[in-house]
Every structure is written in structure tokens, then in C-alpha cells.
Amino acid sequence: MNTSTVHQESELRSLHGKRVAIVGYGSQGRAHALNLRDSGHDVVVGLRPEGPSFARAVADGFAPLAPAEAARSADLVAMLVPDSAQPALYRDHVAPALRKGSAVLFAHGFNVHYGQIRASQDVDVVLVAPKGPGDFVRRQYSDGHGVPCLVAVAQDATGEALGRAMAYAHGLGGTRAGVLQTTFAEETETDLFGEQAVLLGGVTELVIAGFDTLVDAGYQPEVAYFECLHELKLIVDLLYEGGLARMHHFVSETAKYGDLSRGPRIVDANVRASMRTLLEEIRSGAFATEWVLENQAGRPRYERLLARDLAHPIEKVGASLRARMAWLARPTEREAAT
């Protein structure tokens, strides 16, 4: 990854003696705040007193301030609230409090790339995006490791923007695993595409279609669940650990031939064309506009689609089967462990 020795020796000190405000204390916000504090940085958390994360931040040893007050006191402000909440929070509380020469940091480039947030010309605008959920970022740091990070600069008002981003990534533990320099456009567009075409939209629709095909053909829903959802983790783990080569090494020859000969019939030219269409909607801003308007309207379509997804029979079958799997950590147990 293109992080030079010069970067690691000079730029990683760019936040020395500076205050970092973490606005938001969800999955990423908590991990960033704790990792940066443990790395020796002066960290303040910006939260609404009535917010759901306030008590947790206090329990972790922070004395949260109102977002505007936290931003006013800081040299770098990390916007780590959900994308949909960022524009109003930035406009009404953070932007008026920023000092000339300070920096605003994002973990996802959506609002900057699509013009929902436009910072004044006298502040740095940077991105540090760990490639993992917050609890994983925290756990890896605590174990002496790190999670790779993407770093980008949208606006360099001070000449120190990249150094500040690198120092922040270093404080998260990202330089232990590697830091890749990118752009806000590349991070945002590839992230959205991955979610829609593969990681979420593609995978869940494929799982449901496979489940429905087997059940409609008369097979037991429980067996269909095991074949189309449960065993997916086994394959994903192999791919995660060693790519296609490791996956091919550990599956049977029969499974491997079925993969190689039948996979292209599922993900065919029509699917690839649909992926290109999705990507064009992302690059043109059409998806961003749709999502912004959906939020402004109160998310009626979002809620309807989510309810339909969660009402699918695979959810009922899966809940019953998973209740018998003693090795699965329940959500409350995972939260307590982080």
C-alpha cells in the first residue's frame, strides 16, 4: 500500500498536541475515540445529552460535550454520525464552531462527494475509512494489530491535510496493517457499489432466490436454509482468509466443478449489465439523490422494503434453527464483549 517511510516518520506526528473531537459514538465513533485516546491523543466526544450513546461514553471515561462545543475546542473534528444525520448536524452545529485551519474528517465520503456538505475554504477536509466495523477496529487495536484504512483529501487548506489524515489513521492502528491513499470519489462510489451489487444487495437476493427455488421445488425449508444461507459463512471465511485459491483448495472436486461450470450461468451477461447500470447510477449521483429524497420524505419506501425483507420465510426458519446453535454469540453478548 502506498504509504511511504517519509509519511510514517513526519506526517504521523501531525496531530501531536492537537485535540480531536469525535462527533457520534456509535460503532465507529466509539472505536475511533478509544483507539485514539489509547494512542495518546487528546480526545473529546461530541454528543447530545439525551442521545442513546451518552451514558456509554461516560462509562468509557469520557466527559461528552455538545457537538458545537466539542467542535469549537478541537483542531480536528471527526463526523461519525450516520450519513443521513450529518448534513443538518454539520450545518447547524459543527460548521459555525470550526476555527480557521482546523480539519473535518469523515469515515465515508458520501456527503462530501455528493455535495450534501460543503466546508468553507479555510478548513481541511479529509477521509479515513477503516475497512472493518467498529468493534473489529477496536478489537484488532486492543490485540496489538490494526485494520487497513483508506485515506483521502478533498480539501487541503493548510498544506497539512494528508499528514493529519495519516496521523489519525495511525492513531486508529491502521498503519499496523497498511494505509491506501484514494479519493473521496473512489471510496464513495466503490463502497456503494460493493454494498449494492455484492455484499448486501447481491448476496441477500441470491440467498433468498436459492432458498425460494428449493422450497418451491418441494424441499424442506430447513434443508434449504442450511444449503443457501448457513453454509455461506464457510465459503466466505475461506475467501476472506486466502482468496479463490484457498476456497478451491478446501471444497470438494464436485463442488469446484459446479462452481466453475455453473457459476457463470447465474452471474451471466444480464447480471453484469445490471451491475454496470448500478455503478452508473452511483457515479452519476442518481442513487444519492434518490436516497436523500427518501430521507426527506420520512423513508416510506425504505421502511416498506425492509419490512418485506424481514417477513420472508427464511427469517422464521433461520431463527428457529439458530436458536439451537449454541456456538452462536447472541447480539447482546457481542455488544457486551466490545
Side-chain angles (χ1 to χ4, degrees):
M1 294 186 178
N2 60 342
T3 303
S4 70
T5 303
V6 174
H7 285 161
Q8 292 189 3
E9 291 180 353
S10 61
E11 294 179 337
L12 300 188
R13 296 192 296 271
S14 295
L15 290 181
H16 180 70
K18 308 293 185 182
R19 169 168 278 197
V20 176
I22 304 295
V23 180
Y25 206 71
S27 174
Q28 287 291 340
R30 181 173 186 264
H32 289 216
L34 292 173
N35 287 10
L36 289 166
R37 185 177 67 181
D38 289 352
S39 293
H41 292 288
D42 177 13
V43 178
V44 63
V45 174
L47 293 172
R48 293 177 290 110
E50 69 277 15
S53 301
F54 191 93
R56 193 174 196 191
V58 171
D60 286 337
F62 292 102
L65 303 175
E69 189 178 352
R72 191 174 297 113
S73 72
D75 300 282
L76 183 149
V77 180
M79 296 289 294
L80 298 178
V81 297
D83 288 339
S84 58
Q86 284 184 14
L89 179 65
Y90 184 83
R91 180 188 65 243
D92 298 338
H93 299 278
V94 175
L98 290 175
R99 303 194 303 265
K100 180 180 179 180
S102 57
V104 186
L105 180 145
F106 297 85
H108 179 41
F110 184 96
N111 283 307
V112 172
H113 180 53
Y114 293 117
Q116 299 301 301
I117 291 178
R118 299 183 187 276
S120 62
Q121 294 297 309
D122 58 2
V123 299
D124 292 339
V125 180
V126 300
L127 177 142
V128 176
K131 301 313 292 177
D135 63 336
F136 185 67
V137 172
R138 177 59 181 164
R139 189 164 63 251
Q140 288 297 303
Y141 179 94
S142 299
D143 290 344
H145 309 301
V147 174
C149 292
L150 299 182
V151 168
V153 174
Q155 185 168 288
D156 187 3
T158 66
E160 300 178 358
L162 180 59
R164 288 169 158 180
M166 289 294 298
Y168 188 99
H170 182 63
L172 294 184
T175 53
R176 300 172 182 174
V179 175
L180 178 66
Q181 191 171 344
T182 182
T183 65
F184 270 68
E186 184 174 57
E187 186 278 334
T188 303
E189 292 169 2
T190 56
D191 186 78
L192 292 174
F193 176 80
E195 291 168 352
Q196 295 175 21
V198 182
L199 306 176
L200 299 174
V203 166
T204 56
E205 285 302 310
L206 187 63
V207 166
I208 289 172
F211 177 88
D212 287 344
T213 299
L214 289 177
V215 172
D216 290 348
Y219 298 101
Q220 295 180 73
E222 292 79 5
V223 174
Y225 176 89
F226 280 126
E227 295 303 328
C228 297
L229 191 155
H230 177 81
E231 293 190 22
L232 180 64
K233 183 184 185 307
L234 307 178
I235 302 303
V236 169
D237 284 350
L238 292 172
L239 290 168
Y240 180 80
E241 293 164 2
L244 295 173
R246 182 170 175 81
M247 183 272 290
H248 283 309
H249 180 74
F250 283 97
V251 301
S252 71
E253 294 297 314
T254 304
K256 194 182 307 184
Y257 180 70
D259 165 16
L260 298 171
S261 64
R262 266 55 177 183
R265 288 167 57 180
I266 300 299
V267 182
D268 60 9
N270 291 327
V271 174
R272 292 175 181 269
S274 294
M275 286 185 172
R276 289 190 291 271
T277 299
L278 290 183
L279 181 57
E280 181 53 36
E281 290 174 355
I282 291 166
R283 298 178 73 176
S284 70
F287 171 78
T289 298
E290 179 182 326
W291 178 228
V292 169
L293 293 175
E294 177 72 13
N295 278 283
Q296 291 175 354
R299 301 187 179 182
R301 185 177 185 225
Y302 167 90
E303 296 294 347
R304 185 172 67 255
L305 293 175
L306 180 60
R308 184 186 68 184
D309 219 31
L310 298 181
H312 192 278
I314 199 172
E315 281 293 278
K316 182 177 181 180
V317 173
S320 174
L321 292 173
R322 289 190 297 271
R324 305 178 185 183
M325 300 176 188
W327 64 89
L328 291 179
R330 302 296 175 250
T332 53
E333 295 170 5
R334 286 197 299 270
E335 291 167 4
T338 59

